[in-house]
Amino acid sequence: LDASASMGFGSGAVTKFRYGQFLAASLAYLSDRQNDAIGCVVFNDDVQQFVKPSSNSSQLQTLLRVLDEAVVEAGTEFSRPSETFRQVVTKKGIVAVISDFYCDPGPVLEELKAFAWQGQDLILFQILDDDEFQPGFENNVLLRDLETGEAVEVDPSFLKESYPGRLQQHIQNISQNAAAMGAEHVLVKTSDSLDKAMRQYLLTRERRS
């Protein structure tokens, strides 16, 4: 679960991070009901929490506590959490990566390829807020990067004409590269029901059985 500062954005009642917490908890609950070993990595620019996969009776409660106590801060760095996971987890299973993927997709996807090479079934859940698809600014606005603190003045014409296409290209890039490595890419909005993401997870489980 990505706990970088950009995940803290939300135009409604639920931020991207809160939605990610709900999703991670739901996945853990379903897997626990199937008597699977479950674990999690909460990360930003480093590993914040790592719960090694286990099927112990108390594992679900431990994982839910870690998810609930997690906070968003700092930037995004996939290399450390992926390396930590691969060094400890050797058994094959399903790896769900929950993030907004607001970063250069090239290095991220190279890191995630290692999961596929390890034989893991990989699902990339990309969570975005509705306002990130079509920002409703009518005048020039000063936007600040939540992770770097850098600010830039943006013309509303750019947000209406160029930005949507760039965002869609970014999403498509992640989706195509995920498919090339045999991974699933699931785009969800914070206004979507969790059913959309959960259905994809269950389909992946079905293919593995």
Side-chain angles (χ1 to χ4, degrees):
L1 174 63
D2 180 358
S4 61
S6 67
M7 288 287 286
F9 176 75
S11 61
V14 178
T15 66
K16 292 183 287 184
F17 184 67
R18 192 60 173 163
Y19 191 100
Q21 288 174 304
F22 292 150
L23 176 56
S26 299
L27 295 174
Y29 174 77
L30 283 181
S31 298
D32 183 69
R33 290 292 299 269
Q34 295 291 323
N35 296 316
D36 292 333
I38 54 174
C40 74
V41 180
V42 179
F43 70 96
N44 39 50
D45 58 0
D46 204 343
V47 176
Q48 300 305 306
Q49 291 283 349
F50 176 49
V51 180
K52 184 178 178 180
S54 171
S55 55
N56 290 339
S57 59
S58 62
Q59 183 75 349
L60 179 61
Q61 291 303 315
T62 298
L63 192 148
L64 294 178
R65 175 181 54 78
V66 167
L67 290 174
D68 186 56
E69 293 176 353
V71 295
V72 293
E73 59 183 355
T76 310
E77 175 58 62
F78 280 80
S79 61
R80 292 189 180 93
S82 62
E83 181 181 359
T84 298
F85 182 95
R86 294 195 309 271
Q87 286 178 348
V88 176
V89 181
T90 56
K91 293 183 178 180
K92 296 180 181 179
I94 297 176
V95 178
V97 182
I98 303 171
S99 174
D100 55 12
F101 291 97
Y102 270 154
C103 47
D104 183 355
V108 171
L109 294 165
E110 282 299 315
E111 286 291 336
L112 296 180
K113 279 182 182 179
F115 288 112
W117 294 337
Q118 195 182 39
Q120 309 289 356
D121 288 318
L122 186 62
I123 309 178
L124 311 183
F125 289 105
Q126 185 175 16
I127 302 175
L128 295 177
D129 186 89
D130 289 66
D131 275 13
E132 292 176 315
F133 286 89
Q134 191 63 63
F137 300 112
E138 298 298 332
N139 301 303
N140 282 21
V141 61
L142 188 68
L143 298 180
R144 185 177 301 278
D145 188 310
L146 292 173
E147 298 188 4
T148 66
E150 296 180 1
V152 60
E153 185 175 4
V154 180
D155 189 309
S157 63
F158 168 80
L159 295 176
K160 292 179 179 178
E161 299 167 10
S162 300
Y163 167 78
R166 293 192 181 190
L167 177 61
Q168 290 301 325
Q169 183 60 48
H170 177 69
I171 294 171
Q172 186 177 18
N173 187 12
I174 294 172
S175 181
Q176 289 176 341
N177 280 275
M181 70 174 84
E184 303 282 350
H185 171 254
V186 184
L187 177 65
V188 290
K189 300 179 183 179
T190 51
S191 61
D192 288 340
S193 165
L194 281 172
D195 290 353
K196 177 180 179 181
M198 299 306 294
R199 280 197 301 270
Q200 190 61 53
Y201 168 75
L202 292 172
L203 286 172
T204 300
R205 281 195 65 98
E206 184 178 348
R207 284 195 292 271
R208 293 186 68 241
S209 61

